[in-house]
């Protein structure tokens, strides 16, 4: 297995994105990097090291729809004539990428407002959406994949597994013969994957409980007989069972910290974030911190440790009368009933 082609990414927490070249028949590239000149130059240089050109790519796969994984898809498609094969939900997003991003932007602004982010802080996130627009492009899939499909790529037989959570479109490409999987951002060796909160109609089953779904899917991956997970960022994961266990412990610790913050009284998600991270982090990354806090609150709500009060100004969270019970719900999906919350809260 060749080393990944590291493509620079102007995001401080990850630095680069991995594009994986499978040089067998058909010559396959998994993930692309963002649409910008530096990324394209890095990809072409990486291919040259393997004696290939961009025009030699015959099949393009993507692990999910985020800009750093599909930004160059249209460019590669135009120059090489490569077939693009992606999960059906990636294909749906890609056919009108700009319009989908605008829908995400509107929903994200409503989500932040609902969870207590001040208007002026929300306004400062427009640069983030400008960056997404500038580094992506609509493309059309030649083959729409479904969970459980198999395809030939780079001399390998790969099984397609849908594992939504980090995004609604997360896809694993698994080579069962070698015990390896190309996993995108589903599980990363150095940092914990965030879970974006989307509008419920974007969720695979109409329920936007991204963190609950993510942990359930992590446990499914944990049970698989794999030796290496080839990731979208950083080094491969060589002991995925141990790493998943560590990620689950991290969630329990984060839940305990949230309960401690709520011990001082009811809080919005944004106020909870202020009790977890430095002010600079909270103000510079308000959408990411809201995703993180609300995601962990999903777990605490499902466990009955926290209650949510929804009013005209949004949601406020507080400890339940029974006191802290920071356990995660079982993967069986049996959870206490609770009243629906508005779509702008990211769950229903």
């Amino acid at each position: 297995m060749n080393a990944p082609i590291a493509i620079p990414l102007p995001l401080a927490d990850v630095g680069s994105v991995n594009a994986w070249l499978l040089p067998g028949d058909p010559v396959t590239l998994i993930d692309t990097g963002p649409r910008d000149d530096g990324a394209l130059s890095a990809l072409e240089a990486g291919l040259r090291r393997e004696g290939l050109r961009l025009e030699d790519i015959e099949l393009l796969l993507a692990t999910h729809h985020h800009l750093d994984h599909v930004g160059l898809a249209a460019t590669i498609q135009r120059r090489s004539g490569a077939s693009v094969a992606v999960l059906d939900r990636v294909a749906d997003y890609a056919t009108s990428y700009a319009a989908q991003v605008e829908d995400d932007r509107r929903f994200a602004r409503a989500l932040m407002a609902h969870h207590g982010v001040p208007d002026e802080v929300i306004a400062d996130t427009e640069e983030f959406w400008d960056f997404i627009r500038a580094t992506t492009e609509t493309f059309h899939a030649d083959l729409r994949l479904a969970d459980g499909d198999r395809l030939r790529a780079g001399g390998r037989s790969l099984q397609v597994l849908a594992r939504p959570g980090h995004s609604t479109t997360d896809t694993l490409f698994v080579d069962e013969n070698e015990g390896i999987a190309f996993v995108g951002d589903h599980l990363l060796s150095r940092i914990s994957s965030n879970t974006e909160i989307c509008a419920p109609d974007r969720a695979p089953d109409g329920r936007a409980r991204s963190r609950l779904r993510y942990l359930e899917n992590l446990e499914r991956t944990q049970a698989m007989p794999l030796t290496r997970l080839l990731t979208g960022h950083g080094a491969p994961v060589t002991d995925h069972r141990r790493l998943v266990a560590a990620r689950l412990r991290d969630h329990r610790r984060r839940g305990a910290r949230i309960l401690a913050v709520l011990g001082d009284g009811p809080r919005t998600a944004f106020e909870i974030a202020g009790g977890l991270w430095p002010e600079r982090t909270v103000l510079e990354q308000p959408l990411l911190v809201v995703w993180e806090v609300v995601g962990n609150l999903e777990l605490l709500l499902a466990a009955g440790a926290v209650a949510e009060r929804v009013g005209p100004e949004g949601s406020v969270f507080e400890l339940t009368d029974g006191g802290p019970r920071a356990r995660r719900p079982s993967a069986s999906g049996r959870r206490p009933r609770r009243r629906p919350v508005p779509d702008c809260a990211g769950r229903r």
Side-chain angles (χ1 to χ4, degrees), residues 51-326:
L52 294 169
R53 303 171 305 151
L54 195 72
E55 289 75 11
D56 296 321
I57 301 300
E58 297 174 296
L59 177 64
L60 178 61
L61 307 178
T63 58
H64 58 299
H65 73 277
H66 286 169
L67 69 94
D68 47 333
H69 298 264
V70 301
L72 284 171
T75 300
I76 296 168
Q77 197 174 34
R78 283 192 296 268
R79 286 184 48 181
S80 69
S83 295
V84 176
V86 292
L87 195 70
D88 47 11
R89 291 194 294 273
V90 178
D92 290 341
Y93 200 101
T95 55
S96 55
Y97 207 103
Q100 301 277 9
V101 169
E102 181 56 27
D103 286 347
D104 286 346
R105 171 189 166 275
R106 284 194 295 266
F107 178 80
R109 290 178 66 94
L111 178 78
M112 288 186 285
H114 184 89
H115 288 293
V117 182
D119 291 344
E120 63 273 17
V121 177
I122 295 174
D124 288 341
T125 64
E126 286 304 304
E127 185 177 349
F128 169 73
W129 300 104
D130 290 341
F131 176 71
I132 294 177
R133 296 185 196 97
T135 54
T136 53
E137 184 178 0
T138 288
F139 65 93
H140 298 280
D142 300 287
L143 180 61
R144 294 169 62 91
L145 303 173
D147 184 37
D149 282 353
R150 294 180 183 274
L151 75 162
R152 192 74 180 168
R156 301 168 178 270
S157 175
L158 298 180
Q159 183 181 24
V160 179
L161 296 178
R163 289 286 193 270
H166 164 69
S167 78
T168 60
T169 63
D170 286 349
T171 313
L172 275 55
F173 296 101
V174 181
D175 182 340
E176 295 170 301
N177 290 329
E178 289 200 17
I180 65 173
F182 301 90
V183 302
D185 296 354
H186 175 62
L187 184 65
L188 302 176
S189 59
R190 186 172 60 86
I191 59 175
S192 179
S193 302
N194 61 38
T195 53
E196 67 177 348
I197 299 174
C198 66
D201 59 4
R202 291 276 183 87
D205 58 1
R207 299 177 303 159
R209 294 196 290 266
S210 58
R211 191 60 60 101
L212 286 163
R213 180 181 294 109
Y214 176 61
L215 296 190
E216 289 167 355
N217 280 327
L218 268 188
E219 290 182 329
R220 294 172 68 193
T221 301
Q222 185 182 39
M224 295 175 66
L226 298 170
T227 59
R228 278 186 301 162
L229 273 58
L230 305 178
T231 62
H233 306 277
V237 173
T238 56
D239 189 345
H240 68 293
R241 291 190 174 94
R242 179 179 296 179
L243 184 57
V244 169
R247 293 287 183 261
L248 296 177
R249 288 195 298 272
D250 289 343
H251 278 83
R252 288 192 289 271
R253 284 194 290 266
R254 177 62 53 77
R257 291 184 65 198
I258 290 173
L259 293 176
V261 172
L262 290 177
D264 292 330
R267 298 285 190 275
T268 66
F270 190 68
E271 289 169 338
I272 292 170
L276 301 176
W277 296 288
E279 182 181 25
R280 179 177 177 179
T281 299
V282 173
L283 294 179
E284 288 184 350
Q285 303 184 65
L287 181 57
L288 294 182
V289 300
V290 165
W291 282 351
E292 182 66 21
V293 172
V294 173
N296 279 275
L297 285 166
E298 289 175 7
L299 310 180
L300 297 171
L301 286 161
V306 165
E308 180 176 10
R309 290 190 282 109
V310 183
E313 300 300 317
S315 287
V316 173
F317 301 89
E318 60 190 353
L319 298 179
T320 58
D321 292 339
R325 297 190 301 281

